[in-house]
Amino acid sequence: MAQVLVIGSGAREHAIAQTLLRSPQVDQVVIAPGNDGMTDPGLVIKPIAATAIAELIAFVQGAKIDLTIVGSEEPLTLGIVDAFQQAGLPIFGPTAYAAQLEGSKAFSKQVLAANHIPTAASDVATSLTDAYAKATQFGFPVVVKQDGLALGKGVTIVKNTAQLTALLTAIYAKDAAQKLVIEEYLAGVEFSIFSFVGEHGVVHAPIAQDHKRLLDQNAGPNTGGMGAYSPVRWLSNAIREEAIQTLVEPVLAGMQASGHPFTGILYTGVMLTEKGPKVIEFNMRLGDPEAQIVLPQLESDFYQMLLDLLAGQQPEVVWQDADIYLGVVLAAPGYPVKPEKGLPVPVITGDDLHMNYAGVIQQDDALVVNGGRVVTVVGRAQSATAAAAKIYAALDALDTRLQYRHDIGYQAVQAENETKAL
């Protein structure tokens, strides 16, 4: 029986571990550093930081771990995959070079341009005056992105001159040489494609839709994600295939041709515009909260799928299509600016409901809040309407100060209502 290491500490890593444990080949999953909410049978928490690469290698060698999968982005950009490969240890994820697709927005734009992949027009700025001039050239609204990793919160849609001045002044007060990617604003509908990539095989997961804004009706600041659902039934298979063929396959082919092939999980954030699908961004790992609602749909063996991809084979994979999975994130008061810690974490129970834990810690006999996003509550039903109703009936009955959106899956619910009306 196999032992697998998952690197990371959030609800995404919790979902990855649970999916691995469904494999008949996996006996135990170790999560480093994990969190105190991960108490499922077969899960073991190892308090090693995700960025402590040398310590992780020593642990894997000593514990005879059969496979490592990296959940979070920072160790990928630091070269954890390169280090494991040099030590002869099986690991699923991109090299440090390929990880620049997320680690540097400027690098990502260069790859998009070199491979003629549709995306927003953009420019790079490295000073306050430069950024202001380039942003105003695009007109409003305009998108301002920090070049490096920002935990999903480095993107701002600026609507007017006053907002632009305040944003750029604050950014360059912290770092006078900050590199920014300034982009035209793309109007349309967003969706996410997750592709598990090996040397000679690719598995595309069901489409997901994330909700980034903090508040209902897409108001408030961007966050790491406040909820998601999958599959996105109102999005046609033709659009999905067009996005894969015009956005995903060209970047994989381009990385291969450059001598730096991509292996691991490629997240393609897509905007469906009037002119067709365009890339918003690339990440090189599963999204959070998308992992929590995509991975439960995998009916085949996740561990075997990863082994096949690493062996250069095309896996045989089965995804369910009977139910919608919908996840709602509970976040601390004050998130994303200054999360309030120490509040009790509620327990949600019910048929076809489960919880994936993130920013929690054990105090005495209870879990309390220890971060921004606290837990993802995931429900399943035959429709988005039913899944949302099931989750919100449980959440709205809670006595809690944790904040959450009340409209996750609203586009799917609207599409179902329109279909009923026909």
Side-chain angles (χ1 to χ4, degrees):
M1 295 290 284
Q3 291 192 92
V4 185
L5 172 65
V6 177
I7 297 176
S9 61
R12 166 182 51 215
E13 287 75 28
H14 196 185
I16 291 171
Q18 289 173 337
T19 309
L20 287 164
L21 282 170
R22 295 206 307 266
S23 167
Q25 303 180 70
V26 175
D27 176 56
Q28 181 175 273
V29 176
V30 181
I31 308 183
N35 68 63
D36 290 343
M38 299 176 177
T39 58
D40 312 55
L43 294 191
V44 176
I45 304 304
K46 189 69 178 178
I48 304 175
T51 55
I53 296 175
E55 191 175 349
L56 288 166
I57 288 175
F59 168 73
V60 168
Q61 291 171 329
K64 294 182 170 52
I65 297 292
D66 297 283
L67 175 65
T68 298
I69 179 169
V70 186
S72 51
E73 55 269 40
E74 190 176 5
L76 292 170
T77 60
L78 293 174
I80 190 169
V81 171
D82 308 68
F84 268 60
Q85 289 175 346
Q86 290 167 9
L89 301 172
I91 185 168
F92 191 73
T95 63
Y97 183 92
Q100 291 179 94
L101 285 171
E102 179 174 5
S104 169
K105 300 294 189 296
F107 174 85
S108 178
K109 283 293 186 180
Q110 291 169 2
V111 172
L112 286 162
N115 293 283
H116 311 289
I117 300 170
T119 188
S122 66
D123 209 338
V124 176
T126 55
S127 71
L128 176 58
T129 54
D130 188 30
Y132 188 85
K134 288 174 176 174
T136 52
Q137 285 177 358
F138 279 110
F140 296 103
V142 65
V143 181
V144 178
K145 296 181 177 180
Q146 295 181 33
D147 179 58
L149 296 178
L151 301 177
K153 299 184 282 290
V155 178
T156 305
I157 299 171
V158 182
K159 297 180 180 179
N160 53 52
T161 302
Q163 287 184 4
L164 178 65
T165 301
L167 174 67
L168 295 181
T169 300
I171 288 173
Y172 284 103
K174 292 181 180 179
D175 181 0
Q178 173 71 55
K179 182 186 288 187
L180 297 177
V181 174
I182 314 294
E183 286 188 353
E184 69 168 329
Y185 175 78
L186 294 179
V189 177
E190 291 187 43
F191 61 92
S192 306
I193 302 173
F194 294 95
S195 306
F196 298 83
V197 184
E199 186 177 354
H200 299 294
V202 181
V203 174
H204 303 293
I207 297 295
Q209 190 174 53
D210 185 18
H211 299 60
K212 285 287 189 187
R213 296 284 188 166
L214 179 67
L215 305 174
D216 292 0
Q217 300 179 339
N218 294 322
N222 267 336
T223 71
M226 293 300 294
Y229 68 94
S230 178
V232 184
R233 290 175 177 163
W234 53 267
L235 193 73
S236 71
N237 284 331
I239 291 173
R240 177 181 184 270
E241 290 306 310
E242 181 184 357
I244 289 172
Q245 291 172 13
T246 61
L247 309 181
V248 181
E249 292 176 357
V251 75
L252 295 178
M255 295 295 287
Q256 182 79 33
S258 73
H260 298 279
F262 187 97
T263 299
I265 301 167
L266 179 68
Y267 158 90
T268 306
V270 183
M271 182 70 79
L272 180 59
T273 73
E274 291 182 348
K275 297 181 179 180
K278 295 186 178 184
V279 171
I280 304 171
E281 64 176 350
F282 289 122
N283 293 336
M284 67 288 182
R285 36 74 189 180
L286 282 167
D288 183 344
E290 295 101 321
Q292 294 91 291
I293 48 92
V294 168
L295 288 177
Q297 298 179 66
L298 184 63
E299 294 187 340
S300 47
D301 188 330
F302 186 37
Y303 178 70
Q304 187 61 50
M305 183 185 90
L306 298 178
L307 292 184
D308 289 345
L309 289 169
L310 285 173
Q313 301 170 5
Q314 177 62 42
E316 294 184 7
V317 175
V318 178
W319 301 93
Q320 74 84 40
D321 60 4
D323 290 333
I324 296 281
Y325 284 77
L326 191 146
V328 178
V329 172
L330 275 64
Y335 175 79
V337 178
K338 189 177 181 180
E340 181 180 338
K341 298 183 179 182
L343 296 171
V345 177
V347 176
I348 293 97
T349 58
D351 292 338
D352 293 324
L353 293 177
H354 73 270
M355 301 172 72
N356 290 122
Y357 289 96
V360 301
I361 193 169
Q362 186 83 19
Q363 283 188 359
D364 299 325
D365 295 327
L367 289 176
V368 300
V369 173
N370 191 46
R373 291 184 297 169
V374 178
V375 64
T376 306
V377 182
V378 179
R380 62 179 291 185
Q382 292 183 339
S383 68
T385 304
K390 187 178 296 185
I391 289 179
Y392 285 120
L395 293 183
D396 293 343
L398 297 175
D399 180 15
T400 181
R401 290 180 52 220
L402 299 185
Q403 58 178 327
Y404 57 92
R405 281 184 58 160
H406 300 77
D407 62 348
I408 301 300
Y410 69 92
Q411 285 178 297
V413 172
Q414 181 180 341
E416 290 172 359
N417 290 337
E418 290 173 352
T419 301
K420 288 179 183 180
L422 295 178

